[in-house]
Amino acid sequence: MSSKKRNTTLPYRLYELFSSMRFAIGLLTILAIASVIGTVLKQNEPYPNYAFEFGQFWFQFFELLGLYDVYHSGWFLTILAFLVLSTTLCIVRNGPGFVREMKGYREKASDTSLALMQHSCEVVGDADPAAVSRRLQGEGFSVREHRREDGSVVLAAKKGAANKLGYFFAHIAMVVICIGGLLDGNLPLKIAELAGRIVPETRDIPQSQVPAQSRLDTDNLSFRGNVTVGEGRSADVVFLNAGNGYLVQELPFIVTLKKFHVDYYSNGMPKLFASDLVVTDKATGKATEATIEVNKPLIVDGVAIYQASFGDGGSPLTLNAWNVARPDGKPVPIKGVSMASQPLRFGEQAFRLEFGELKVFNIEDIGETPGTADFGQKMKDVREVRKEKHVRNLGPSITYKLRDEQGQAREFHHYMAPIAQDGRQYLITGVRAEVGQPFQYLRLPLDEGMAVDRFMRLNAALANPALYDEIARRTAAQALSGGAISPELTRQFEDSVKWVLARFADGGFPALESFIDDKVPADKRQAIAQTYIKILQGTVPVVMDVADSQAGVAPTPVDEAKYRFLLDTLVASSALHELGAPVLLQLTGFEQVQASGLQLTRSPGKDLVYLGSLLLIIGIILMFYVREVRLWVVFHGARMRLAMTSNRHNRDLDRDFEHQHAALQQQVGASHAS
Amino acid sequence: MQASHSLHLSPRASWLKPGPLDWAYAVVVLIACAVAFWQYDHFMDVYEEAILAGSALGLIGLGWFWKDWRWYFPLSGLVSLAAIGIYDHELARAQEAFWLKYLLSSQSSIMWMCTLFVLATGMYWAGVLARSALLQKMGSGLTWAASVMGLAGLFTRWYESYLIGPDIGHIPVSNLYEVFVLFCLITALMYLYYEARFAARQMGAFVLLIISAAVAFIVWYAFDRQAHEIQPLIPALQSWWMKIHVPANFVGYGAFAIAAMLGIAELMVMRGWLADRLPSPEVLDEVMYKAIAIGFLFFTIATVLGAMWAADAWGGYWSWDPKETWALIVWLNYAAWLHVRLVKGWRGKPLAWWAVVGLFVTTFAFVGVNMFLSGLHSYGGL
Ligand code: HEM
């Protein structure tokens, strides 16, 4: 490809640079490095996360470089565009030469150049050019005969010209793929964003209030966005990720979710996500019904609808609100909707109650930890492709936040169904003050009817000073009849019981503990603490009797199980003080409404990309596996010259050359014999 | 842009002229596929039927092209059929029936595969150090035996997954454990082909090293992490694309691994280490090139298939997910390698080094991404 006269004008020099392999490899290297950055730095996270991670300075610097969405940054797309340019120019530059070469036979090759070839030899004798030509054609060569001026005949043969075709296929493929990719990368949108004609919305506001500068028309060439639709609801827009904010893309149709299906394997792994959809065209009103699944999208109007995720679509809930600040043992029923928030007044305190997700199944793995088995067991385990999975379903759960007027929130995670622990049943609620922390779990013991009422009653009685006299009297009487105290100490004992109850009602075990720490000398603390605990343990059965008879429930004898229940009650009652909220919500019922996360895309470049991929594969096969071979036989009369070249030297050519040599010699023999 | 590698040894490709044995083999494959179709058609969709038909043709072509395949494949099938027969629709028999317990259940087969590969490695090295053709031949025999157990083990595992539950059954290429077995198998088979074709058994000492490394991982993963348990498929993986996307990828990985190990051998020979016991640098160089060429082709196909699958599963043919992106980086790496060899005519040391470095890039794309980066592709976390 050496140009005869050096053209040194600037455009030509640029053309030379852009079409050079050096330049292309440079671009590819940058592309590779940029791609690595994109995999190491998590892309498209909310901006505050980055700011937190890198600090303000680096955050802004990286933002300037577009590192939070590398693959859609201007410079990345520019590299791709240059790659298209460079590859195109490379084809323009090399193409004509390659075409000429593919067509040509090089039948004018001189004797000297043929003799200089690595695979070249003289054969003594004479063969019939027509016969040799026939044989070569039989072997797949195409042959051209040339008669030189000196009378000698040259047979120039070649095969495997498709090898060069491979170059065209593979390189045109790269251009086609990149164009398809750029089309779907939505260059026009990027330009409009750069020019400021389109501005991403960053506020969390209802979709209908998003201003026009953040909305995209239905005729937008390509997009990929998400929307969450609850059962029985519809959507006619999707949201596109755009830097720190989002854009609203209008759809040509309305998508309605009739029903969402989710199915699990017995070990709790998800098995099926599917949405029953109705898609109604805005212009014609034509409705299409279909069920989509993961791996089975629906395509309407060139827009593909995918099953991307799922969640809670706002389920109506009923709850019991228990007052734990001033317990009265009776709940207040309230209503709510998951994924929504509502005001909640409690006494003189006003809260905002923000419901999170309702999860109907909570599958938990309770299998033993691996690595504890002995060798024999391990050998057995390693043969076993099915392992009994120890899983259990903890049932429905709800999360909610209780936000006070100062904006401080506590988050709760509450399981609706009783959960068994150590053979006893509890109602479990986790609480935490900050999002990053683990939940502290509170276990409220349940009675035989699996209800929390008896605990609540007891808790209320423990906190009710009006009952203390009665409780103290009965406790003392019991202690007296049991011989634990003497008659003259009865009064003092009753006072102690009342005092301990009051302290406990004030702040649970920690209140008693802090009193001891403040007032009791160190060497007596242990003994005093023991005494308080004993008093409490002796009192609770009485508290239960009193509370039960107040509520009109028949008293039950205290057996082993009941006693454990009572001890759990003390623990739970004490822990309620650490709840940090005056109210505890108990989920009593729900009506599940699910939501389906849909992804909608329009990608006009897809077919181009597929076409390019096909070309690429064909091109690679042709380039690697079609061997271009050229062969010359020059007939000088009494001797012949055989020469061969291939675009690559390897043992295949050695072998072919030997074969040709032998065949030619045989044909000499043949012409002699005839 | 020039390249060449002919599939044929003499001017006319021998595999286009099948002999009686070739035809017999073809009949066996067709019968096997017909039986599979007749027995399991109700589990297949139209794409899977197409894949079955394509596999039949592909297997016949492979057998005609590579004669050893004609006994290897049916033998592995027979071993697996024996296991299936003994199972008699009862998974629990894996711990009871003698043959299943010690040889034929998928896990026993795979553990045998592991053992045989390690033995083969030792045998090849003994053969190289002692310059003993016999020992090397035994190494090759052990490698074949390991490959039979590996393929049979995968077939049997496929069957076992259906015994666990008809809704759980799936081809065993769905998690890191299964693809590691596949990796060992494909690498060994490709190597066995080159070994015969270039009559250079000493290469086995190097190639089997990387297989043994993978074996070590498999054993650790199974014993320590119980990764061998068959898990049902999450919805994203329930697709016929998996059947072709994953195996295609592993032809690529296997080939790149072979190339890297030969690169090490070539570098050693060039320094004079073991030079009198190993093949010449030219031979190593040529096999290395052939491995990378075929690996690159399959890796390209696998990536395109992955893109087409992604267009069905994730809503776009390219999402710049870490696995995709690293696949692209691997692809660019070998594309560059091929360019400098074929266009610029590089040979020898730099390319050998590059092939070795390429293995690190590939390994990162294969396991590193699963370990360190998360994304859409997080099916095979460690
Ligand atoms: C452009 C798209 C894709 C590319 C470039 C791609 C690339 C790759 C590569 C390089 C591997 C190598 C095997 C490995 O490292 O494990 C792989 C494996 C795999 N891919 Fe993809 N893939 C694509 C799309 C998909 C899609 C859409 C799915 C399924 C939803 C998928 C499922 C798998 C599975 C199951 C494996 C093997 C298991 C494993 O890694 O544990 N791939 N892919």
Side-chain angles (χ1 to χ4, degrees):
Chain A
M1 245 99 317
S2 62
S3 47
K4 282 124 224 156
K5 3 181 192 43
R6 294 244 13 114
N7 188 339
T8 50
T9 57
L10 182 66
Y12 186 79
R13 294 236 300 265
L14 277 181
Y15 165 67
E16 253 192 347
L17 173 67
F18 288 158
S19 61
S20 71
M21 211 177 88
R22 236 175 338 130
F23 188 71
I25 289 201
L27 283 177
L28 288 174
T29 311
I30 301 175
L31 204 66
I33 294 171
S35 307
V36 173
I37 298 175
T39 65
V40 175
L41 183 62
K42 258 193 138 211
Q43 300 285 289
N44 291 315
E45 296 269 293
Y47 274 28
N49 293 9
Y50 293 120
F52 181 73
E53 195 175 337
F54 301 122
Q56 203 53 34
F57 175 76
W58 290 110
F59 165 71
Q60 281 173 350
F61 184 64
F62 289 164
E63 187 188 2
L64 204 69
L65 293 181
L67 295 194
Y68 307 134
D69 194 6
V70 170
Y71 309 115
H72 300 102
S73 65
W75 58 268
F76 194 86
L77 295 179
T78 311
I79 295 176
L80 278 185
F82 263 104
L83 202 59
V84 174
L85 180 73
S86 153
T87 317
T88 313
L89 292 180
C90 170
I91 298 167
V92 169
R93 188 172 164 183
N94 293 328
F98 282 176
V99 172
R100 233 176 294 126
E101 227 176 290
M102 266 167 67
K103 287 200 188 136
Y105 285 79
R106 292 200 230 147
E107 69 273 19
K108 303 253 167 63
S110 70
D111 281 335
T112 353
S113 68
L114 292 180
L116 281 175
M117 286 178 183
Q118 248 180 25
H119 293 81
S120 177
C121 68
E122 291 235 301
V123 178
V124 184
D126 194 13
D128 174 16
V132 174
S133 171
R134 236 178 299 131
R135 175 180 60 79
L136 287 173
Q137 280 171 3
E139 288 175 10
F141 283 92
S142 49
V143 187
R144 174 169 293 180
E145 194 178 309
H146 171 65
R147 195 166 291 276
R148 288 182 179 162
E149 271 158 20
D150 65 359
S152 53
V153 173
V154 182
L155 283 186
K158 61 168 187 174
K159 89 179 161 181
N163 175 282
K164 282 277 178 299
L165 215 55
Y167 164 83
F168 287 106
F169 273 66
H171 288 74
I172 291 173
M174 296 311 295
V175 176
V176 173
I177 291 174
C178 286
I179 291 178
L182 283 173
L183 219 61
D184 288 341
N186 214 344
L187 217 48
L189 177 65
K190 288 276 136 26
I191 293 169
E193 246 181 85
L194 277 182
R197 269 181 290 128
I198 290 176
V199 185
E201 178 60 66
T202 52
R203 292 167 298 168
D204 192 6
I205 52 176
Q207 180 268 117
S208 54
Q209 289 168 27
V210 172
Q213 59 172 7
S214 311
R215 302 184 84 91
L216 302 172
D217 226 348
T218 47
D219 57 11
N220 184 17
L221 194 60
S222 84
F223 58 83
R224 184 166 176 183
N226 291 286
V227 67
T228 303
V229 193
E231 282 172 332
R233 305 239 171 75
S234 303
D236 65 346
V237 296
V238 288
F239 301 92
L240 316 185
N241 237 334
N244 194 18
Y246 60 91
L247 297 169
V248 176
Q249 166 72 54
E250 304 282 350
L251 297 175
F253 46 66
I254 301 169
V255 195
T256 309
L257 176 65
K258 286 208 306 197
K259 182 118 191 67
F260 178 75
H261 309 271
V262 53
D263 211 348
Y264 296 92
Y265 295 105
S266 58
N267 71 356
M269 280 170 66
K271 178 176 175 180
L272 169 82
F273 303 128
S275 299
D276 298 337
L277 300 180
V278 185
V279 180
T280 318
D281 192 285
K282 278 180 185 166
T284 64
K286 192 170 84 71
T288 317
E289 283 202 34
T291 299
I292 59 167
E293 280 173 40
V294 180
N295 274 312
K296 288 180 192 143
L298 166 71
I299 298 173
V300 183
D301 260 358
V303 178
I305 309 177
Y306 296 89
Q307 178 68 60
S309 61
F310 69 100
D312 183 352
S315 311
L317 312 169
T318 57
L319 306 107
N320 276 341
W322 296 92
N323 189 336
V324 293
R326 239 171 291 122
D328 54 7
K330 284 187 226 57
V332 181
I334 62 171
K335 284 188 188 315
V337 175
S338 60
M339 310 297 288
S341 72
Q342 65 191 64
L344 181 73
R345 280 209 78 81
F346 223 75
E348 50 289 358
Q349 280 175 286
F351 293 95
R352 192 121 203 114
L353 175 57
E354 303 167 2
F355 284 108
E357 199 181 350
L358 171 77
K359 279 177 83 177
V360 177
F361 297 106
N362 283 283
I363 311 272
E364 189 196 48
D365 193 351
I366 49 171
E368 78 272 42
T369 42
T372 49
D374 64 13
F375 185 72
Q377 182 62 34
K378 282 201 161 183
M379 287 306 283
K380 185 168 181 296
D381 282 350
V382 104
R383 272 197 301 267
E384 195 92 69
V385 290
R386 172 176 52 186
K387 187 101 193 227
E388 284 316 321
K389 273 278 176 275
H390 301 281
V391 293
R392 64 171 175 176
N393 183 359
L394 298 181
S397 73
I398 179 83
T399 56
Y400 62 89
K401 281 186 186 154
L402 212 51
R403 195 177 293 283
D404 64 21
E405 282 164 314
Q406 283 75 50
Q408 302 283 26
R410 294 210 145 225
E411 190 179 4
F412 298 83
H413 182 212
H414 168 72
Y415 290 93
M416 180 180 183
I419 292 173
Q421 279 183 358
D422 311 323
R424 281 165 286 156
Q425 304 288 337
Y426 299 94
L427 191 68
I428 290 195
T429 298
V431 58
R432 63 182 174 190
E434 264 167 56
V435 176
Q437 286 175 348
F439 281 105
Q440 276 336 109
Y441 282 94
L442 192 72
R443 312 187 302 172
L444 308 186
L446 299 178
D447 57 26
E448 303 83 357
M450 293 297 150
V452 76
D453 298 55
R454 171 170 257 153
F455 164 76
M456 287 298 183
R457 216 156 51 226
L458 254 150
N459 183 48
L462 277 169
N464 186 356
L467 300 177
Y468 288 180
D469 282 338
E470 165 84 2
I471 294 169
R473 197 180 46 71
R474 286 211 217 172
T475 313
Q478 271 184 13
L480 195 61
S481 69
I485 53 169
S486 54
E488 52 275 20
L489 280 181
T490 309
R491 233 223 109 88
Q492 204 185 332
F493 182 75
E494 281 180 13
D495 285 346
S496 301
V497 168
K498 285 193 266 187
W499 184 85
V500 169
L501 282 176
R503 275 268 140 193
F504 186 77
D506 222 29
F509 292 119
L512 286 167
E513 206 176 301
S514 71
F515 170 80
I516 294 174
D517 286 349
D518 283 354
K519 299 277 155 60
V520 179
D523 56 333
K524 297 231 181 77
R525 281 180 195 161
Q526 184 85 21
I528 298 281
Q530 290 286 340
T531 314
Y532 287 171
I533 303 261
K534 274 218 186 87
I535 290 181
L536 274 175
Q537 289 175 347
T539 313
V540 271
V542 180
V543 177
M544 178 171 71
D545 280 349
V546 171
D548 279 354
S549 65
Q550 279 239 321
V553 178
T556 45
V558 176
D559 54 11
E560 169 75 18
K562 187 58 58 53
Y563 192 63
R564 305 274 295 273
F565 169 82
L566 291 172
L567 295 188
D568 282 338
T569 296
L570 285 178
V571 174
S573 179
S574 169
L576 278 177
H577 290 286
E578 286 155 55
L579 202 59
V583 58
L584 188 68
L585 297 183
Q586 180 197 1
L587 183 63
T588 53
F590 60 84
E591 213 178 293
Q592 189 187 19
V593 176
Q594 304 184 89
S596 182
L598 304 178
Q599 180 169 170
L600 284 86
T601 66
R602 182 188 274 161
S603 51
K606 188 164 111 174
D607 292 336
L608 272 184
V609 171
Y610 288 177
L611 174 70
S613 303
L614 185 66
L615 289 179
L616 179 66
I617 291 169
I618 297 176
I620 291 175
I621 294 177
L622 292 181
M623 281 196 296
F624 289 175
Y625 297 108
V626 173
R627 211 153 48 98
E628 187 190 294
V629 184
R630 289 177 185 274
L631 176 151
W632 293 263
V633 186
V634 189
F635 300 85
H636 285 293
R639 63 195 166 79
M640 295 174 292
R641 171 157 294 276
L642 169 69
M644 278 178 85
T645 63
S646 165
N647 53 353
R648 232 173 65 72
H649 300 286
N650 59 19
R651 38 191 73 215
D652 293 333
L653 183 60
D654 298 344
R655 203 163 20 220
D656 282 358
F657 184 67
E658 267 164 42
H659 162 79
Q660 289 297 339
H661 190 187
L664 195 60
Q665 268 170 339
Q666 224 171 16
Q667 286 189 301
V668 173
S671 66
H672 274 285
S674 63
Chain B
M1 197 86 26
Q2 18 190 318
S4 82
H5 161 206
S6 78
L7 295 171
H8 26 96
L9 305 179
S10 53
R12 262 293 149 101
S14 61
W15 60 285
L16 290 178
K17 291 189 268 171
L21 269 180
D22 289 315
W23 285 113
Y25 163 80
V27 168
V28 169
V29 170
L30 285 177
I31 290 175
C33 287
V35 171
F37 180 79
W38 168 63
Q39 285 238 312
Y40 301 114
D41 185 39
H42 52 284
F43 284 112
M44 300 186 206
D45 60 24
V46 55
Y47 299 103
E48 285 166 322
E49 287 166 357
I51 292 175
L52 181 66
S55 309
L57 294 181
L59 286 169
I60 292 173
L62 188 56
W64 289 3
F65 167 64
W66 181 24
K67 304 300 178 194
D68 284 330
W69 186 265
R70 290 174 314 183
W71 65 261
Y72 166 75
F73 184 71
L75 178 60
S76 308
L78 278 181
V79 173
S80 178
L81 282 178
I84 291 172
I86 302 175
Y87 263 123
D88 197 20
H89 308 289
E90 187 73 60
L91 189 62
R93 286 178 59 77
Q95 298 284 9
E96 297 153 12
F98 177 85
W99 287 103
L100 289 179
K101 190 167 172 187
Y102 294 107
L103 189 67
L104 296 178
S105 75
S106 74
Q107 275 303 104
S108 297
S109 297
I110 287 169
M111 288 302 139
W112 272 110
M113 175 197 87
C114 292
T115 313
L116 289 166
F117 272 139
V118 173
L119 289 178
T121 314
M123 202 60 86
Y124 272 121
W125 274 103
V128 165
L129 295 176
R131 287 204 189 84
S132 155
L134 178 66
L135 288 179
Q136 289 172 21
K137 203 165 172 181
M138 284 166 66
S140 170
L142 285 169
T143 309
W144 274 113
S147 305
V148 169
M149 293 315 282
L151 186 57
L154 285 181
F155 280 146
T156 307
R157 188 177 168 94
W158 197 348
Y159 172 78
E160 287 166 355
S161 69
Y162 279 90
L163 286 187
I164 293 178
D167 61 339
I168 289 180
H170 60 269
I171 187 170
V173 293
S174 69
N175 62 33
L176 203 59
Y177 178 77
E178 294 168 339
V179 298
F180 254 92
V181 177
L182 187 68
F183 171 80
C184 291
L185 194 57
I186 289 184
T187 311
L189 288 170
M190 291 178 79
Y191 163 70
L192 285 168
Y193 169 75
Y194 288 127
E195 174 189 276
R197 167 113 197 240
F198 288 86
R201 287 222 166 88
Q202 304 92 321
M203 299 189 300
F206 288 84
V207 176
L208 265 285
L209 279 182
I210 188 103
I211 296 180
S212 288
V215 161
F217 178 83
I218 290 174
V219 171
W220 169 78
Y221 210 31
F223 275 88
D224 203 65
R225 297 294 182 92
Q226 265 85 56
H228 60 281
E229 287 162 26
I230 294 177
Q231 302 281 0
L233 288 182
I234 58 167
L237 294 182
Q238 294 165 7
S239 167
W240 54 273
W241 285 108
M242 187 172 79
K243 290 191 168 73
I244 46 181
H245 166 67
V246 180
N249 255 317
F250 278 85
V251 176
Y253 285 163
F256 297 151
I258 292 177
M261 296 318 284
L262 297 181
I264 293 176
E266 186 179 344
L267 288 169
M268 284 176 59
V269 174
M270 282 175 158
R271 295 201 166 191
W273 299 350
L274 295 179
D276 51 344
R277 290 175 161 83
L278 292 177
S280 72
E282 290 72 35
V283 170
L284 293 170
D285 195 79
E286 191 166 338
V287 181
M288 185 162 72
Y289 162 71
K290 297 214 152 147
I292 288 186
I294 190 79
F296 184 73
L297 172 63
F298 273 86
F299 199 74
T300 309
I301 293 174
T303 308
V304 170
L305 291 174
M308 297 174 86
W309 184 3
D312 267 359
W314 300 336
Y317 52 82
W318 197 266
S319 313
W320 294 103
D321 149 83
K323 195 86 172 186
E324 286 175 357
T325 310
W326 275 94
L328 176 69
I329 293 166
V330 169
W331 190 83
L332 289 174
N333 177 54
Y334 288 103
W337 191 97
L338 287 161
H339 271 84
V340 295
R341 183 183 162 108
L342 299 177
V343 184
K344 301 269 176 206
W346 288 21
R347 287 291 185 286
K349 226 174 178 172
L351 279 189
W353 272 114
W354 193 340
V356 175
V357 173
L359 184 62
F360 286 96
V361 180
T362 309
T363 310
F364 189 82
F366 178 10
V367 272
V369 172
N370 296 17
M371 268 158 49
F372 302 117
L373 309 173
S374 70
L376 296 166
H377 234 116
S378 314
Y379 311 125
L382 270 177

